[in-house]
Amino acid sequence: MIKGFIFDLDGVITDTAELHFEAWKKLSDEMGWYFDRELNEQLRGISRLDSIKVIMNHNKVSLTDDAITELATKKNDMYVASLDSMTQDDYLPGARELLTHLRTEGFNVALGSASKNAIKVLEQLNATHFFDVIGDGNSVTKSKPAPDIFLYAADKMNLPANNCIVFEDAEKGIDAAKTGGFYSVGIGPEERVGHADLRFNTMKEATLFEVKSFFKELF
Ligand code: B16
Ligand code: MG
């Protein structure tokens, strides 16, 4: 039976990809590195340090661990400053409605995000009250595609993985949900999240009615 829902943050509740893009672009321009939207797409759902390594590999650059950490921190400072402009109007369409509905129906709800800035983003959106459990980039060490963040969230809700549905927009996020034994809902195109149990193009179509209709024997 489904008793809990675990939500990824960026790309499911809100779209911070553009703000991440701008910050990585500024850093890359300063460093003389190539960075474009296609490369930014590869950073979807992966950790900050994994992200800078993808950019460096693309540019055939190698640096010491200390230098990498320093540059990742610089990007993060720019990204965090840009979050100040985020407001309650910045939910992805349909996300707030689904969270509200799940609360009304008494489901357990957790966050399972790779971001170390998840709490700040939730505060900007005024979304903290929707979540019983917050799993973020500070909760576990192994990031997606490892299932650790979702297992952490399920454990804190006192639920086994097969009692939970994970909502994810990243290919590696769906991989993580499947490896952990969770049911999964992918948000985005077939080529990215087509391996999820159920897929919607956007959160707007992802209503509780649709989800229950698909997983009907589990409700
Ligand atoms: P931070 P999610 C992920 O969030 C983003 O999709 C990814 O682009 C970012 O690199 C990662 O968080 C880490 O974010 O630098 O804020 O710790 O999709 O897992 O909610
Ligand atoms: Mg995401």
Side-chain angles (χ1 to χ4, degrees), residues 116-181:
K116 294 190 170 175
N117 299 300
I119 289 178
K120 162 109 176 151
V121 173
L122 291 181
E123 282 171 359
Q124 294 294 126
L125 293 169
N126 191 22
T128 316
H129 63 99
F130 286 124
F131 297 92
D132 301 298
V133 169
I134 293 178
D136 65 13
N138 304 297
S139 308
V140 294
T141 45
K142 274 200 267 168
S143 50
K144 302 164 191 175
D148 299 33
I149 187 63
F150 299 138
L151 292 170
Y152 170 91
D155 185 57
K156 291 273 172 198
M157 292 194 289
N158 285 317
L159 293 174
N162 64 3
N163 282 184
C164 304
I165 297 178
V166 167
F167 274 65
E168 253 294 344
D169 70 307
E171 183 179 353
K172 288 192 173 73
I174 297 294
D175 294 341
K178 292 180 91 111
T179 305

Side-chain angles (χ1 to χ4, degrees), residues 8-11 16-17 20 24 40 43-48 51 75-76 79 112-118 137 144 168-170:
D8 174 56
L9 180 61
D10 298 337
T16 51
H20 280 295
W24 284 126
N40 191 52
L43 312 183
R44 189 179 282 272
I46 66 171
S47 73
R48 196 181 312 156
S51 299
K75 176 269 172 179
N76 190 55
Y79 171 68
S113 166
S115 175
K116 294 190 170 175
N117 299 300
K144 302 164 191 175
E168 253 294 344
D169 70 307

Side-chain angles (χ1 to χ4, degrees), residues 185-212:
V185 173
I187 305 299
E190 172 76 30
E191 58 271 26
R192 201 167 77 209
V193 290
H195 53 320
D197 296 313
L198 172 63
R199 183 187 71 81
F200 298 102
N201 284 321
T202 70
M203 279 297 282
K204 208 167 178 182
E205 295 115 70
T207 62
L208 186 52
F209 177 80
E210 290 293 335
V211 171
K212 278 185 170 176

Side-chain angles (χ1 to χ4, degrees), residues 45-130:
I46 66 171
S47 73
R48 196 181 312 156
L49 277 182
D50 287 345
S51 299
I52 193 165
K53 286 174 188 166
V54 167
I55 302 171
M56 286 170 52
N57 277 343
H58 187 88
N59 285 276
K60 301 190 171 54
V61 172
S62 77
L63 293 168
T64 63
D65 285 352
D66 284 354
I68 293 172
T69 306
E70 196 180 308
L71 292 175
T73 302
K74 196 171 182 188
K75 176 269 172 179
N76 190 55
D77 291 344
M78 293 190 272
Y79 171 68
V80 171
S82 71
L83 288 176
D84 286 337
S85 63
M86 181 178 265
T87 72
Q88 299 182 43
D89 295 330
D90 290 318
Y91 283 85
L92 279 168
R96 183 173 18 208
E97 292 75 5
L98 178 59
L99 289 167
T100 305
H101 203 171
L102 291 172
R103 279 330 230 168
T104 317
E105 294 221 353
F107 287 101
N108 289 285
V109 180
L111 189 80
S113 166
S115 175
K116 294 190 170 175
N117 299 300
I119 289 178
K120 162 109 176 151
V121 173
L122 291 181
E123 282 171 359
Q124 294 294 126
L125 293 169
N126 191 22
T128 316
H129 63 99
F130 286 124

